[in-house]
Amino acid sequence: MRVAVTGGGGFLGSHLCEALLRRGDEVVCLDDFSTGDPANIAHILENPAFELVRGDVSRSAEVSGHVDAVAHLASPASPPDYLARPLETLAVGSRGTENALRLAARHDARFVLASTSEVYGDPEVHPQSETYWGHVNPVGPRSVYDEAKRFAEALTQAYRTNQGTNTGIVRIFNTYGPRMRPNDGRVVSSFVVQALAGEPLTVYGDGKQTRSFCYVDDLVRGIITMIDQDEPGPVNLGNPVELTVLQLAELVIGLTESSAELQFHSLPVDDPTRRRPVIDRASERLGWSPEVGIEDGLRRTVEWFASRPDDIADALSAIRGGQHDGVVTARRRPLASMSAAS
Ligand code: NAD
Ligand code: UDP
């Protein structure tokens, strides 16, 4: 099979390209490296089954030769990334998605959209199943990402209904692992980098907000299963083990054997309070469930970051003090006072 992967030079996309090559597929990666890193795919560039098409998929998503599937992952994903690129984020969710859908339609190929748990916004229903329609502020700062993905889902569904394209939608919940950009500002990469450097961990708000973290290998296995099937979705892909941000900080400090303190910053606007996927649909329709526990996954992630001390030093100045206009409150709390996810 020949698979086009938009955003294939990013964190998730590069792992996906690698996994597809490993099982014998040919891969065409389309990326403009706006938030990705050529280093992510440097080790597969010489593979004859791999091809890189450098460019902005919001302008064009053309490849030479036939493709059997298109996995559309191109989009800024970290909040600091999409807040810094609001128009590009909306463009890739709309025009970029349409270009990728057209590519799939022309080749009668399977199309899989990498959507997100952000379509649920700051959810009023907990945990989140695919039947929940979400609670998104359409004019808040995060809307450039949330609404772009919601539009991308609508467009994907319209191609299925009206054009007969074989589409599928996965809603990805917070995923972490090796190759996250050390300065991407996401909570896992930031905490690991800060803990390894012995710098304070930047906790936003009171740290009692929750997320559910999925290890990248589990997620990629889910996307590949979706590529291989005709399931329309949407299907949640994530690890339903829910942690507060404080619990995550505690885990990272323990695994890195760091003496780093916590430093509290203001909470970003519209930051979702709770997030946990219901994964019954993924289990029933794809036979998928996550296998890597949070401690194991974090240990692998810590090892990867620890092997890149220069990258950590470069990243620290970018993530020190937070990237979201947050103001340091100067409030510090000992680890003993951490609260658990209810
Ligand atoms: P990432 O920023 O590492 O990767 C995105 C890739 O897309 C980058 O390589 C970037 O250069 C590329 N890209 C962005 N705009 C582009 C454009 N217009 N044309 C061509 N390439 C473009 O982020 P990621 O975490 O790997 O996320 C990949 C996808 O998964 C995104 O669509 C994201 O919304 C989705 N997702 C990720 C998570 C997560 O936790 N990692 C959660 C939910 C959804
Ligand atoms: N967060 C934090 N410190 C950081 C980065 C993020 O406390 O240095 C919080 C953030 O406010 C959110 C959670 O961690 O509540 C997850 O943030 P991330 O940016 O990783 O993902 P998202 O908000 O998109 O789920």
Side-chain angles (χ1 to χ4, degrees), residues 192-217:
V192 171
V193 165
Q194 290 161 340
L196 285 172
E199 294 268 329
L201 272 57
T202 50
V203 174
Y204 298 167
D206 61 9
K208 290 182 186 164
Q209 70 272 32
T210 68
R211 295 293 187 272
S212 304
F213 298 98
C214 185
Y215 189 66
V216 61
D217 290 0

Side-chain angles (χ1 to χ4, degrees), residues 62-78:
E62 301 291 334
V63 304
S64 54
H66 181 74
V67 293
D68 303 287
V70 177
H72 180 43
L73 278 72
S75 169
S78 130

Side-chain angles (χ1 to χ4, degrees), residues 10-12 31-32 34-36 56-57 73 145 149 172 175 186:
F11 161 50
L12 295 182
D31 206 300
D32 65 358
S34 48
T35 62
D56 177 357
V57 298
L73 278 72
Y145 182 67
K149 290 290 185 180
I172 302 169
T175 301
R186 291 189 256 203

Side-chain angles (χ1 to χ4, degrees), residues 1-24:
M1 174 149 105
R2 188 158 183 258
V3 186
V5 180
T6 77
F11 161 50
L12 295 182
S14 62
H15 284 280
L16 176 61
C17 290
E18 211 176 7
L20 291 167
L21 289 170
R22 227 175 6 244
R23 72 171 195 170

